[in-house]
Amino acid sequence: MKKYLLATAALAMAVSINHGVQAQAMAKPGEALDMVLLPKFLGILPFDQAHQGAQEAAKELENPTPLQFLGPTPENSVAGQIEITTNATTQGVAAIMISNNSGDQIVPAAKAAQEKGIAVVTWDSPIPSAEGEDVFVAQVDFSETGVVMADMALSILGEDGGKFAILSASPDAANQNAWNAAMKEALKGEKYAKLELLDTVYGNDQSEESYNQALALVDKYPDMELIMAPTSVGIVAAAKAMQDEDLCDTVKTSGLGVPSEMLAYTMNGCAPEFALWSFVDLGYLTYQTAYAIATGALKAEEGASFKAGRMGEYTITKDPTRDAGLRILMGPFSVYDKDNVEAAAK
Amino acid sequence: MSALGRLKSWEGLLLALLVIIVAVNIEHSPYYLGVGNIVNLFQLSIEKIIVALIMTLVIINGEIDLSVASVMGLAACVLAWLFEMGTPMPLAIVGGLLAGLAAGLFNGFWVAYVGLPSLAVTLAGLIGYRGIARILVEDHPIGNFPEWFNLVGQQPLIGPVTVSIVIFALLFVIIAITLHSSALGRLVYVIGNNLQAARYSGIRVRLVKMTLFGASGTIAALAGILYAARLGSVRGDMAAGFELDIITIVLLGGVSIFGGSGNLAGVGLSILVILNLRNGMGLASITGNTQTSVIGALLILSVLVPNMAQTISNKWNGRET
């Protein structure tokens, strides 16, 4: 009996060691891999930040082949992403990292890349059907977005709560709608009982339109104390509108924003708190993931884990938002206020 | 210099440009001459170059059709909408083509019978047809088409050559014959050269214009359906903005924006120039705005050079007399 127990224990240990080894899976640095980072389009700050993070990872992994940062123009995003993916396949690169703006229309091109042995990793925005994609590096969990926004509202309005409105991007932006729905879901919690959501309006991610929508909210709801804008365009427009109208003392702004664009409004109290994930980290983690898959150190399957440099260990799981998809969840949010926004804005 | 001579020299210029681009591409990328790459080179822009063929006739006729990309989107969305409602795919394809024909004839009616400028009519079409397309599929992508439909867009048919490329080649021949050796082709030039004269000489101007706009709508719809098959999924914004690339190809081909002159050989060369240039830049990892600027610069030159040549030659002749 004792022997049996010992043997079992030894076996268990062996299994756990094996498991431990697998968990420690680390890509061997220094391999020359041609890798392409493909944003939705060029010329947008968050994508440049992701590029910066990917370059940092490339340097750490000592990949002698320079990272290619290729993207279409905004007007040509769909056809351009397909064209770049196809040309990268022709060139036989090792990995393509796509922030997908083409829905499932990218599938044939992505599949062709996979058939040629190219690692296809999506980030920021996945392939809806998950076909042609190895794994999606997700910035945050959609339901977490709702909780983070509800928490910020509570923190700004205080224990006594208050009334607020949402200034969103467009009525048909899938991610925005998911976040707003998640926030409404979170608001049902007892903790947020004193928060009252007045209205949801849309500024279509246009500065002028968002600015006017914010002012219209003030006119419509004199007792509103907060505008929550889960869009980096809307939040700046709302904060600017409140500042221009000298309303920052009575109506605060919060939501999802880029630190460098929000710095002034956070420091002068118009937008005391806002949140965002780090696009630098997202780019870094995406590169680490793609490199590990391309070198064979990481298999794109459920339960596989690997060490992503300075960001630590990550495990591939099923993506709860897509039936057939796999994801690596980066998280968590960074919440910015007076104390940390300056450092983040640099 | 005669008009004919100038045209010939324009094609000569395009041919020289093409030779340079091909040489640079061969020099630059070992992948360029691969069979797969040559097929992709056409395949990635195949829908645009199909529509450019019929656009050539429309512009030579002295008109323009800005609505083609929206008609492409409309046809794809009608097809997807019908398919989603349970219509068998072959019927859905017919539905898409008919939608294109109807859109084209609608444009043609206002231009030919009411006498409105095609720039205004088809600009309205660009907005209106896109609107209908977006209403039909709302904001959700429609996919999961039958396997054979996707294969039409993606799989080779003859050797490595895809269905779309075969359709392009056939259309090129048909339109070349129509334009350069048929009665209709001669009428297209005559009307484009001098609308009033054509009217007074009893040419059935309206019929010709209706035919061209109807054909433009139908071929744009065909291209839109091929695009849907190539991508395997349809969205409301399909092909948005393609009209500018299509018109660029035609103008670079030496077709006068004022109508009356140009030929299909020039447009064929222009297609090869732009496609090879795009592909070469893609393989050299030049994308985004840089690529757009290079092609934009090419178009500016294509408009400026012939006009400047004309001005200079006029001045020169003026000095002589």
Side-chain angles (χ1 to χ4, degrees):
Chain A
M1 187 65 192
K2 206 174 177 182
K3 245 184 186 172
Y4 171 77
L5 274 179
L6 269 175
T8 315
L11 195 68
M13 259 177 78
V15 168
S16 75
I17 286 168
N18 263 337
H19 204 76
V21 167
Q22 202 194 356
Q24 288 298 316
M26 250 183 89
K28 202 170 97 234
E31 289 201 39
L33 298 178
D34 195 353
M35 295 172 63
V36 175
L37 186 68
L38 170 54
K40 286 182 179 166
F41 35 79
L42 295 175
I44 298 287
L45 181 63
F47 291 138
D48 290 341
Q49 292 174 330
H51 180 209
Q52 187 194 327
Q55 279 179 318
E56 181 195 339
K59 206 172 163 195
E60 271 180 36
L61 289 165
E62 295 162 19
N63 184 350
T65 312
L67 169 68
Q68 300 197 59
F69 183 56
L70 307 176
T73 51
E75 319 81 65
N76 188 36
S77 185
V78 174
Q81 285 201 317
I82 292 166
E83 185 170 351
I84 291 167
T85 305
T86 305
N87 283 334
T89 305
T90 304
Q91 289 170 310
V93 300
I96 308 174
M97 297 165 273
I98 309 171
S99 168
N100 181 29
N101 203 25
S102 321
D104 278 333
Q105 298 184 333
I106 194 106
V107 168
K111 267 189 175 167
Q114 275 191 325
E115 276 161 22
K116 228 183 155 185
I118 297 170
V120 180
V121 173
T122 54
W123 54 284
D124 178 49
S125 174
I127 297 175
S129 67
E131 281 185 69
E133 163 202 284
D134 288 321
V135 65
F136 168 49
V137 181
Q139 52 271 57
V140 286
D141 197 285
F142 281 3
S143 61
E144 193 196 336
T145 315
V147 176
V148 166
M149 290 201 290
D151 278 341
M152 288 192 299
L154 195 63
S155 148
I156 291 169
L157 296 172
E159 289 290 304
D160 299 332
K163 295 177 179 176
F164 74 103
I166 294 177
L167 170 63
S168 187
S170 82
D172 36 42
N175 54 356
Q176 295 272 328
N177 285 347
W179 295 340
N180 294 340
M183 180 170 184
K184 283 174 194 158
E185 193 59 39
L187 287 176
K188 287 180 187 159
E190 204 173 316
K191 189 175 159 194
Y192 311 107
K194 288 188 175 158
L195 297 180
E196 189 190 335
L197 176 60
L198 295 164
D199 203 350
T200 303
V201 296
Y202 301 94
N204 289 317
D205 264 355
Q206 305 285 323
S207 292
E208 181 77 21
E209 210 175 330
S210 305
Y211 187 95
N212 293 337
Q213 287 287 355
L215 292 181
L217 280 174
V218 174
D219 291 338
K220 199 168 166 192
Y221 304 106
D223 53 350
M224 178 183 72
E225 291 174 86
L226 173 71
I227 295 173
M228 182 63 70
T231 128
S232 63
V233 178
I235 190 174
V236 175
K240 183 164 188 341
M242 296 310 111
Q243 180 181 278
D244 291 352
E245 298 290 311
D246 249 340
L247 287 167
C248 282
D249 289 334
T250 46
V251 183
K252 302 289 185 194
T253 303
S254 184
L256 303 181
V258 181
S260 59
E261 294 173 348
M262 293 300 295
L263 179 62
Y265 304 109
T266 303
M267 296 314 282
N268 69 13
C270 290
E273 270 185 42
F274 64 97
L276 197 68
W277 52 88
S278 161
F279 270 92
V280 176
D281 286 352
L282 185 60
Y284 180 91
L285 181 57
T286 301
Y287 190 97
Q288 288 276 359
T289 307
Y291 184 91
I293 292 176
T295 54
L298 175 67
K299 271 216 163 74
E301 55 192 25
E302 198 187 347
S305 29
F306 78 114
K307 191 165 179 308
R310 65 167 167 82
M311 291 179 69
E313 195 176 300
Y314 284 88
T315 305
I316 296 177
T317 60
K318 280 206 159 127
D319 188 341
T321 62
R322 295 177 302 151
D323 289 340
L326 294 174
R327 80 167 179 190
I328 287 176
L329 181 60
M330 180 178 84
F333 269 98
S334 304
V335 176
Y336 298 101
D337 59 19
K338 261 191 176 131
D339 297 330
N340 62 1
V341 71
E342 271 180 303
K346 271 173 197 160
Chain B
M1 196 189 264
S2 72
L4 190 69
R6 208 169 63 241
L7 272 178
K8 276 201 175 137
S9 74
W10 181 249
E11 280 142 37
L13 202 67
L14 283 177
L15 193 61
L17 200 60
L18 180 63
V19 169
I20 295 170
I21 291 167
V22 168
V24 171
N25 286 357
I26 292 174
E27 172 70 23
H28 245 272
S29 173
Y31 308 105
Y32 171 69
L33 283 179
V35 173
N37 184 57
I38 299 296
V39 170
N40 279 338
L41 177 153
F42 283 99
Q43 188 73 356
L44 283 171
S45 303
I46 192 74
E47 301 84 10
K48 290 178 189 168
I49 63 178
I50 285 175
V51 180
L53 297 177
I54 186 68
M55 184 69 85
T56 304
L57 296 196
V58 173
I59 295 182
I60 290 177
N61 192 232
E63 304 290 349
I64 196 152
D65 188 349
L66 294 177
S67 72
V68 282
S70 294
V71 173
M72 289 170 75
L74 176 67
C77 287
V78 165
L79 166 131
W81 176 72
L82 287 173
F83 173 72
E84 207 182 35
M85 291 203 316
T87 315
M89 203 54 173
L91 280 180
I93 292 174
V94 173
L97 289 173
L98 286 178
L101 174 64
L105 290 177
F106 187 76
N107 287 340
F109 171 77
W110 293 104
V111 175
Y113 288 91
V114 183
L116 297 178
S118 54
L119 189 74
V121 170
T122 59
L123 181 63
L126 181 153
I127 300 164
Y129 301 144
R130 177 66 61 189
I132 300 172
R134 283 187 185 280
I135 289 170
L136 282 178
V137 305
E138 289 168 344
D139 203 51
H140 67 284
I142 298 174
N144 291 321
F145 299 129
E147 194 61 24
W148 65 263
F149 179 70
N150 292 343
L151 291 182
V152 165
Q154 296 156 21
Q155 282 294 332
L157 177 72
I158 307 167
V161 176
T162 60
V163 177
S164 308
I165 296 176
V166 172
I167 290 177
F168 168 76
L170 285 176
L171 266 178
F172 190 92
V173 172
I174 292 170
I175 289 185
I177 293 172
T178 309
L179 184 62
H180 297 301
S181 39
S182 82
L184 178 63
R186 275 192 299 282
L187 294 185
V188 168
Y189 277 108
V190 169
I191 296 170
N193 257 320
N194 194 333
L195 183 61
Q196 293 310 329
R199 280 213 178 103
Y200 291 130
S201 55
I203 291 170
R204 296 164 77 181
V205 173
R206 288 172 174 170
L207 185 66
V208 172
K209 288 201 188 293
M210 278 302 269
T211 309
L212 288 186
F213 276 101
S216 179
T218 311
I219 291 176
L222 174 67
I225 290 167
L226 290 172
Y227 193 36
R230 177 158 75 88
L231 302 185
S233 151
V234 166
R235 295 203 311 194
D237 63 353
M238 273 189 97
F242 279 19
E243 64 278 341
L244 293 182
D245 291 341
I246 292 164
I247 294 168
T248 303
I249 290 172
V250 177
L251 296 188
L252 183 64
V255 175
S256 164
I257 189 74
F258 305 111
S261 76
N263 61 55
L264 206 62
V267 173
L269 280 169
S270 160
I271 287 172
L272 291 175
V273 164
I274 289 191
L275 263 47
N276 281 286
L277 185 62
R278 280 192 80 99
N279 182 256
M281 285 195 285
L283 290 179
S285 298
I286 299 168
T287 56
N289 292 319
T290 320
Q291 202 178 84
T292 313
S293 328
V294 171
I295 292 172
L298 204 61
L299 180 64
I300 292 172
L301 283 179
S302 79
V303 176
L304 283 186
V305 170
N307 280 323
M308 276 166 64
Q310 177 83 57
T311 315
I312 291 168
S313 95
N314 282 351
K315 276 199 175 149
W316 190 254
N317 291 339
R319 210 178 288 166
E320 272 178 347
T321 48

